[in-house]
Amino acid sequence: MRRFLAAMVVGSLLVTAACSRQQGSNLAEEEATAKNLNLSLCDVQSARFDDDTADGKPSVGDGFTYVIKVSTKSGPKACDVPQGQFFGVEEIVQEMPGDQGGKSFLTNFQGTFMLPDGNMQLRSMGYVSVQAAEMAQMKRSGPVAMGLGDLFPKQHEASVIGQGGSFTGYLGTAVLVPGQPPVAQIKLFKRF
């Protein structure tokens, strides 16, 4: 009986070791096929407030849509020649304390990067910050003047799905980092 139990323990250890080696091998393969991108969010081309609740102010259920010029380069001159666009949609899900008469909102965030070599979709919870002067202009649905600091006031993470071109079959993560300009740090892994 002792020999049988010893054989079972040894067998279990061998199976565990083989599985660990296989998982380590898969991790190394994933790292080898990973794509890392740093995309600079350069300039707000257009932004719109959608007053779906018809109460004349940003509140839960309302949203923002916007288009931002994007550069595939990084550094101080990254935005000199943008190569793509980011189309964003943010639905307000909670009002948060704001600064100096403005308001901050937790949002349901999604957007699409459209780049020369393909497209990627991002999804997560996000944040929008609206200054007091901007709030005064938001009486009804329509175009609004919002800056990059309003749309990306805090660092947050997002899921990424490749949607065409060289990003087809990739999944990954993004970290949206505020700054001048804000940057999307994206890491993609081949999944299909």
Side-chain angles (χ1 to χ4, degrees):
M1 183 68 169
R2 286 185 183 169
R3 285 186 191 166
F4 176 73
L5 289 175
M8 290 296 289
V9 169
V10 169
S12 295
L13 291 173
L14 289 174
V15 168
T16 302
C19 288
S20 294
R21 269 187 254 150
Q22 180 64 32
Q23 286 177 343
S25 164
N26 289 345
L27 226 63
E29 287 174 20
E30 281 183 7
E31 288 295 327
T33 61
K35 286 187 184 196
N36 294 304
L37 301 164
N38 283 326
L39 302 175
S40 298
L41 300 158
C42 298
D43 187 32
V44 180
Q45 281 184 275
S46 64
R48 178 180 172 82
F49 168 57
D50 297 309
D51 187 10
D52 291 338
T53 58
D55 61 358
K57 62 180 182 178
S59 54
V60 173
D62 294 339
F64 300 95
T65 56
Y66 49 88
V67 181
I68 296 174
K69 293 179 185 175
V70 175
S71 174
T72 56
K73 300 181 180 354
S74 56
K77 303 227 178 228
C79 290
D80 287 355
V81 184
Q83 297 86 19
Q85 293 178 305
F86 180 76
F87 296 85
V89 177
E90 305 213 31
E91 180 187 2
I92 298 171
V93 295
Q94 182 179 346
E95 188 174 325
M96 303 171 71
D99 297 349
Q100 302 166 359
K103 291 192 178 180
S104 292
F105 302 98
L106 179 66
T107 65
N108 182 6
F109 164 84
Q110 65 179 343
T112 301
F113 279 106
M114 297 187 78
L115 304 170
D117 53 346
N119 307 325
M120 292 175 284
Q121 186 180 81
L122 278 66
R123 289 181 178 235
S124 72
M125 298 305 289
Y127 301 93
V128 170
S129 180
V130 181
Q131 308 307 315
E134 295 165 345
M135 288 287 291
Q137 297 174 14
M138 295 182 187
K139 300 293 184 201
R140 65 180 73 83
S141 294
V144 290
M146 295 183 80
L148 292 167
D150 300 323
L151 299 171
F152 301 98
K154 292 174 119 177
Q155 178 172 314
H156 70 279
E157 292 78 31
S159 298
V160 181
I161 302 170
Q163 290 192 313
S166 66
F167 304 119
T168 301
Y170 280 86
L171 299 174
T173 59
V175 178
L176 293 140
V177 182
Q180 298 296 329
V183 175
Q185 300 169 341
I186 298 174
K187 189 166 195 171
L188 296 170
F189 300 93
K190 189 77 170 171
R191 286 309 209 193
F192 307 117

